[in-house]
C-alpha cells in the first residue's frame, strides 16, 4: 500500500515525508528542443493512426446501425434493429480501450484533444507536444471518416455521416452541459487511472489503465447519445463535420469544442488541486521556505 509517512524530528523541530511513489517533474511550458527529437514525431504519428482507426470503426458502426434499423432500407432487418445504442457505446469504449492500450507506451494514448488539453493544463505535456498532438488527432479523424465515406458513400450521406448534432427537443445549454460533464468524467478517469500514487498503492491489483478509460467512454455514450450523439472528443466531432459538411453539423460544432475543453479543464483542476492538493503543497512549501 502506498502511503505518505510523516516523521517528527528528534526535538520536534521538523517533519519529512517518505513515499513509495514518484511524481514526474512538470513538463516545460514550451520545449523547443522536442522539435528536434524523433520521439515527438513518432508519438504524433501514433496519435494520427489511432484517431483514424477510432473514427473509421466507430462511424462505420453508427452508419451500420442506422441502416440496419431503417425500415425503409432495402434488405434491412427492421426486427433486428442493428446493434442499438448499447452497441454503439461499446464500439466507442472498446476502441478507446484497444487504442489506448496500443499507443500508451508511445504517445500516452490521448486520441482526443480534450484529453491532451487537460494533461497540458496539469503540466503533463508541453505546449509544443500538445499542439502537435491536436493537429495529428484532427487530421487522423478527417482521414478516418474519409475512409468511411469512400467505402460506403451512399449509406454515409443517407445516414448523416456519423456527425455530432444537437438532437431535436434539447436546448443548446443542455447540449453544452452534456459535453462538459461527459468530458469531465472521461478526463477525470484518465487522471485517476494514470496517477503514479494510485499505481503504487494498487500495484497488487492487475488493472490496466486503458480499461477504466474505455469504460468511461462507454458509460458517457450511454448517457449522452440521445442528446448530442456524444462528442467529448473535438477531433471526432470535427472530422465528421469536415467530411459530412452540412450546415447543422457546423452550426453545432462550437459546443463540441467548448464543452470538452471546459470539462477537461475542470477535471484537471479537480484532480490536481483538490484530490492531489498540489496547490496546498505548493503553498506549504512556500511558507516553509519563508
Amino acid at each position: 500500500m502506498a502511503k505518505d509517512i510523516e516523521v517528527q524530528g528528534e526535538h520536534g523541530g521538523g517533519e519529512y515525508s517518505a513515499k513509495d511513489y514518484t511524481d514526474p517533474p512538470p513538463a516545460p511550458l514550451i520545449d523547443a528542443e522536442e522539435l528536434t527529437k524523433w520521439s515527438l514525431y513518432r508519438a504524433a504519428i501514433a496519435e494520427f493512426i489511432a484517431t483514424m482507426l477510432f473514427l473509421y470503426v466507430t462511424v462505420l458502426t453508427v452508419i451500420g446501425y442506422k441502416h440496419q434499423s431503417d425500415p425503409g432500407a432495402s434488405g434491412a432487418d427492421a426486427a433486428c434493429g442493428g446493434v442499438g445504442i448499447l452497441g454503439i457505446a461499446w464500439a466507442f469504449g472498446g476502441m478507446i480501450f484497444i487504442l489506448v492500450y496500443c499507443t500508451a507506451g508511445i504517445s500516452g494514448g490521448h486520441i482526443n484533444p480534450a484529453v491532451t488539453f487537460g494533461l497540458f493544463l496539469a503540466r503533463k505535456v508541453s505546449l509544443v507536444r500538445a499542439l502537435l498532438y491536436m493537429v495529428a488527432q484532427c487530421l487522423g479523424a478527417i482521414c478516418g471518416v474519409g475512409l468511411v465515406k469512400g467505402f460506403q458513400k451512399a449509406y454515409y450521406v443517407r445516414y448523416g455521416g456519423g456527425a455530432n448534432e444537437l438532437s431535436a427537443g434539447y436546448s443548446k445549454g443542455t447540449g453544452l452541459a452534456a459535453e462538459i460533464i461527459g468530458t469531465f468524467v472521461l478526463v477525470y478517469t484518465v487522471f485517476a487511472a494514470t496517477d503514479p500514487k494510485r499505481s503504487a498503492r494498487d500495484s497488487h491489483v492487475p488493472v490496466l489503465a486503458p480499461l477504466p478509460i474505455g469504460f468511461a467512454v462507454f458509460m458517457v455514450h450511454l448517457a449522452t447519445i440521445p442528446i448530442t450523439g456524444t462528442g467529448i472528443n473535438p477531433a471526432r466531432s470535427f472530422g465528421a463535420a469536415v467530411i459530412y459538411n452540412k450546415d447543422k453539423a457546423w452550426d453545432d460544432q462550437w459546443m463540441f469544442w467548448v464543452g470538452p475543453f471546459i470539462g477537461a479543464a475542470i477535471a484537471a483542476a479537480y484532480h490536481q488541486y483538490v484530490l492531489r492538493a498540489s496547490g496546498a503543497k505548493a503553498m506549504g512549501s512556500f511558507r516553509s521556505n519563508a
Side-chain angles (χ1 to χ4, degrees):
M1 300 289 284
K3 52 189 176 183
D4 294 338
I5 307 171
E6 291 188 351
V7 181
Q8 191 73 24
E10 183 179 355
H11 301 291
E15 294 181 351
Y16 66 89
S17 177
K19 55 186 182 181
D20 55 358
Y21 66 93
T22 302
D23 285 312
L29 179 61
I30 299 176
D31 187 3
E33 187 179 350
E34 275 192 310
L35 293 171
T36 65
K37 297 179 179 177
W38 164 243
S39 59
L40 174 63
Y41 300 102
R42 179 181 61 189
I45 293 170
E47 288 291 310
F48 171 85
I49 295 296
T51 313
M52 181 180 70
L53 294 174
F54 176 61
L55 267 293
Y56 173 73
V57 171
T58 54
V59 171
L60 268 181
T61 302
V62 171
I63 292 174
Y65 157 66
K66 289 184 176 181
H67 172 64
Q68 288 177 312
S69 59
D70 182 0
S74 175
D77 186 357
C80 173
V83 297
I85 289 179
L86 185 64
I88 293 173
W90 271 121
F92 278 88
M95 280 303 291
I96 286 296
F97 168 73
I98 292 168
L99 295 171
V100 172
Y101 176 82
C102 291
T103 61
I106 301 171
S107 66
H110 297 190
I111 320 172
N112 184 335
V115 171
T116 301
F117 181 66
L119 294 173
F120 165 70
L121 293 180
R123 301 290 301 277
K124 305 295 185 182
V125 295
S126 70
L127 179 61
V128 171
R129 183 174 291 266
L131 291 176
L132 189 58
Y133 275 20
M134 291 181 189
V135 171
Q137 291 155 359
C138 289
L139 291 177
I142 293 171
C143 291
V145 182
L147 287 175
V148 176
K149 185 176 181 179
F151 293 150
Q152 294 192 352
K153 186 173 183 178
Y155 290 162
Y156 178 87
V157 175
R158 179 173 180 174
Y159 297 115
N164 286 126
E165 298 175 355
L166 182 65
S167 300
Y170 293 97
S171 68
K172 293 184 183 297
T174 300
L176 181 63
E179 289 297 307
I180 291 173
I181 296 171
T183 310
F184 174 86
V185 172
L186 169 60
V187 179
Y188 173 39
T189 304
V190 170
F191 275 104
T194 58
D195 190 333
K197 186 174 184 178
R198 172 181 289 275
S199 298
R201 184 186 65 206
D202 297 342
S203 58
H204 60 289
V205 182
V207 177
L208 293 170
L211 185 60
I213 296 172
F215 263 106
V217 172
F218 167 69
M219 298 304 295
V220 170
H221 274 75
L222 287 182
T224 59
I225 282 177
I227 303 174
T228 61
T230 308
I232 69 172
N233 183 336
R236 177 261 186 272
S237 302
F238 179 71
V242 167
I243 301 300
Y244 187 52
N245 199 28
K246 301 294 183 182
D247 289 343
K248 175 63 173 172
W250 284 119
D251 289 344
D252 295 339
Q253 184 68 197
W254 66 271
M255 74 177 63
F256 299 111
W257 285 85
V258 175
F261 274 35
I262 292 176
I266 296 172
Y270 175 61
H271 184 268
Q272 293 296 103
Y273 295 103
V274 177
L275 300 186
R276 291 300 303 273
S278 297
K281 291 176 182 177
M283 184 60 69
S285 176
F286 173 77
R287 287 172 178 168
S288 297
N289 291 336

